Amino acid sequence: MPQMGVSVAEGTVVEWNKQVGDWVEADEIICSISTDKIDTDVESPATGRVAEIIVAVGDTVDVGVVMAKIATDAKPGEAHASENGTGTGEATAALEAPGEAGELSGDTTADYEGTTQRRPPRPAGGNRRFSPVVMRMAAEHNLDLSQIEGSGRGGRVSKKDVLAFLENGGAAAEEPPMHIESPYRPDEPALKRKPRPRLQRVEEVPAQAAAAPAPAAAPAPVGGQPLSRMRQAIGSRMVESLQTAATCTTIAEADMSRIEAARAAAKLSYLPFQARATIETLLEFPQLNATLEDGQHTVYSDAVHLGIAVSLGSGGLIVPVIRDAQDLSVEGLAKRIKDIAVRARNNQLTPDEVSGGTFTITNPGGYGSIMATPVINLPQVGILDTEAVVKRPVVITDELGNDSIAIRSMTYLCMSWDHRALDGAYAAQFLSALRKKLEAWPIT
């Protein structure tokens, strides 16, 4: 298992691209793995023939564990066990079994979590074969795989081909806004390992209690479906945050009229302007640009490493980090935000790009929502939720103190913060300073 980042200690095999007996070139993708930070492909360290696969799909092992063995003294074209039909090893059998590590025919369903999935339409013109990743994506997006041109060996359709097909308008799904309801430490997207069993604590109980009959198991709901690995991961992270942090939410209203004019001139969205104003305010309020380690030590940062929540649609949720964001202009932030969003949706982020954030912005305003209470992205102590900008009638006071009603582009700034690290007055002062920066934005 390769080291995929300084904070990554283990990984889970998602898919083997090679089977026992297959020839593999050095630097050719041999398998895909998932860590608690990111999903990525693993390249073969040498040229040769796959002699043994040790770590099966769905298994989680520590960094440094041998995953497979490659016979580097083999030669291309030599007869081998799988070609002669004599392979009897467990790894060979597992890889050749439909629905597991091997390739799947177009009319087969596969699910790493034990639930039944819709079969994508069977491609016309032959019995093409697809990997579990491709089958799952096709089922989620209701794709006809026969419409997708494969770039792999023998015209095989890969995950990259499906993503390219979706990006080019091959599916009806619209481009997801860059937000998630509540950012969390990125975990495995939809295709993941089966949940690992947890050790249960055994406690002594009084004899009377031990003798009591066990309650009848609740019947399984008819038509029910277990949560996907992604939903389980989100649930685990959110419950952990709510049970650990002393979460409070403070909300302020801001007039975005000047930002509206500035972004129209620059042809940008609201987000880079809001991000730039937030960064400047964080430098003035360092208690929010921090992480709380072990619930006892606050670690402050001189630099703003800004997390931007990105929705991956049905593929999951992730929070890439823009490091040293204080050095970027509005235009620079807009470029970086677009870059990390594209690479996140193409599964091109590195593990270190989704860790080490000091503050997070989530932007559900793209869906039209106007107010929310985001969940803190631990170990950070604050998260800002930027909501939809909506024209509303508001009271305007001129320099002489006269009031009038006018139509203004307004938004709510919703910030959840950890009461263990700071107090409500500090949070309110931060939002007040942020509001003033937005309302006084220079228009050139």
Side-chain angles (χ1 to χ4, degrees):
M1 178 64 63
Q3 178 72 56
M4 301 307 298
V6 294
S7 60
V8 175
E10 63 180 19
T12 301
V13 175
V14 174
E15 178 188 18
W16 281 102
N17 295 59
K18 296 292 183 178
Q19 301 181 17
V20 171
D22 284 353
W23 184 261
V24 60
E25 296 288 341
D27 300 327
E28 183 181 2
I29 295 175
I30 189 170
C31 70
S32 300
I33 64 171
S34 175
T35 72
D36 64 346
K37 300 296 183 185
I38 202 72
D39 289 351
T40 190
D41 294 325
V42 176
E43 298 176 346
S44 174
T47 297
R49 194 176 300 283
V50 179
E52 181 182 2
I53 289 181
I54 300 173
V55 181
V57 169
D59 285 354
T60 300
V61 294
D62 294 335
V63 168
V65 170
V66 177
M67 301 168 62
K69 294 182 179 180
I70 299 173
T72 57
D73 57 349
K75 297 180 180 179
E78 287 181 335
H80 52 88
S82 63
E83 289 177 347
N84 293 331
T86 59
T88 58
E90 292 181 3
T92 301
L95 286 167
E96 292 176 351
E100 298 187 15
E103 295 181 305
L104 304 177
S105 60
D107 57 353
T108 304
T109 56
D111 190 355
Y112 288 101
E113 297 156 6
T115 60
T116 302
Q117 300 292 323
R118 290 184 303 166
R119 292 180 175 89
R122 183 185 180 93
N127 184 27
R128 297 175 67 187
R129 301 171 73 83
F130 308 98
S131 70
V133 174
V134 170
M135 291 291 290
R136 172 66 70 85
M137 295 178 69
E140 289 177 349
H141 295 279
N142 195 27
L143 299 178
D144 182 352
L145 293 174
S146 66
Q147 298 180 2
I148 303 177
E149 182 178 353
S151 60
R153 184 179 57 186
R156 180 183 179 188
V157 176
S158 66
K159 177 181 178 181
K160 184 183 299 185
D161 298 327
V162 177
L163 288 173
F165 182 78
L166 293 172
E167 290 180 359
N168 291 330
E174 61 183 49
E175 178 74 8
M178 280 199 4
H179 103 289
I180 60 176
E181 308 90 290
S182 301
Y184 71 108
R185 299 175 199 163
D187 207 322
E188 297 87 349
L191 258 183
K192 293 303 159 204
R193 63 183 182 268
K194 297 179 181 178
R196 301 167 64 187
R198 295 183 178 179
L199 295 177
Q200 296 183 349
R201 181 181 177 184
V202 179
E203 299 179 349
E204 295 183 0
V205 297
Q208 183 177 1
V222 177
Q225 181 174 338
L227 291 176
S228 68
R229 177 61 184 166
M230 170 56 66
R231 294 311 322 166
Q232 293 181 46
I234 294 174
S236 175
R237 300 299 187 189
M238 295 301 97
V239 170
E240 177 189 4
S241 177
L242 291 173
Q243 291 181 343
T244 302
T247 304
C248 297
T249 301
T250 302
I251 301 174
E253 189 176 29
D255 186 340
M256 298 287 284
S257 297
R258 296 183 70 84
I259 298 292
E260 181 77 69
R263 81 176 192 92
K267 302 186 184 302
L268 297 173
S269 67
Y270 294 105
L271 186 55
F273 292 93
Q274 294 168 323
R276 182 62 218 176
T278 300
I279 293 165
E280 294 176 3
T281 311
L282 285 171
L283 295 175
E284 298 172 5
F285 291 82
Q287 284 183 246
L288 274 162
N289 187 45
T291 58
L292 186 59
E293 307 295 341
D294 301 324
Q296 298 180 357
H297 302 91
T298 303
V299 179
Y300 302 103
S301 176
D302 294 332
V304 178
H305 303 312
L306 187 65
I308 299 292
V310 177
S311 171
L312 305 181
S314 60
L317 311 169
I318 200 166
V319 186
V321 175
I322 300 176
R323 300 191 181 280
D324 296 311
Q326 75 280 353
D327 296 334
L328 298 175
S329 64
V330 170
E331 292 76 14
L333 284 168
K335 184 177 180 180
R336 288 288 299 278
I337 290 171
K338 181 178 180 180
D339 171 66
I340 60 174
V342 170
R343 291 193 295 113
R345 290 165 184 154
N346 289 332
N347 196 27
Q348 295 174 339
L349 296 174
T350 66
D352 292 336
E353 288 183 299
V354 290
S355 61
T358 57
F359 192 84
T360 294
I361 293 179
T362 180
N363 178 35
Y367 285 118
S369 62
I370 61 171
M371 194 175 295
T373 55
V375 179
I376 299 170
N377 187 16
L378 295 179
Q380 298 170 23
V381 300
I383 175 174
L384 178 66
D385 173 281
T386 57
E387 294 290 341
V389 177
V390 180
K391 289 187 177 181
R392 291 195 292 267
V394 295
V395 175
I396 303 297
T397 303
D398 62 22
E399 63 277 4
L400 298 178
N402 299 315
D403 293 337
S404 61
I405 295 177
I407 303 298
R408 291 289 186 268
S409 296
M410 307 295 294
T411 191
Y412 290 111
L413 305 170
C414 310
M415 185 178 72
S416 290
W417 47 276
D418 194 337
H419 215 322
R420 297 177 300 168
L422 59 138
D423 296 319
Y426 193 87
Q429 291 167 6
F430 172 87
L431 286 181
S432 178
L434 175 58
R435 173 182 59 80
K436 290 177 180 178
K437 291 182 187 299
L438 293 171
E439 293 184 345
W441 195 271
I443 302 176
T444 56

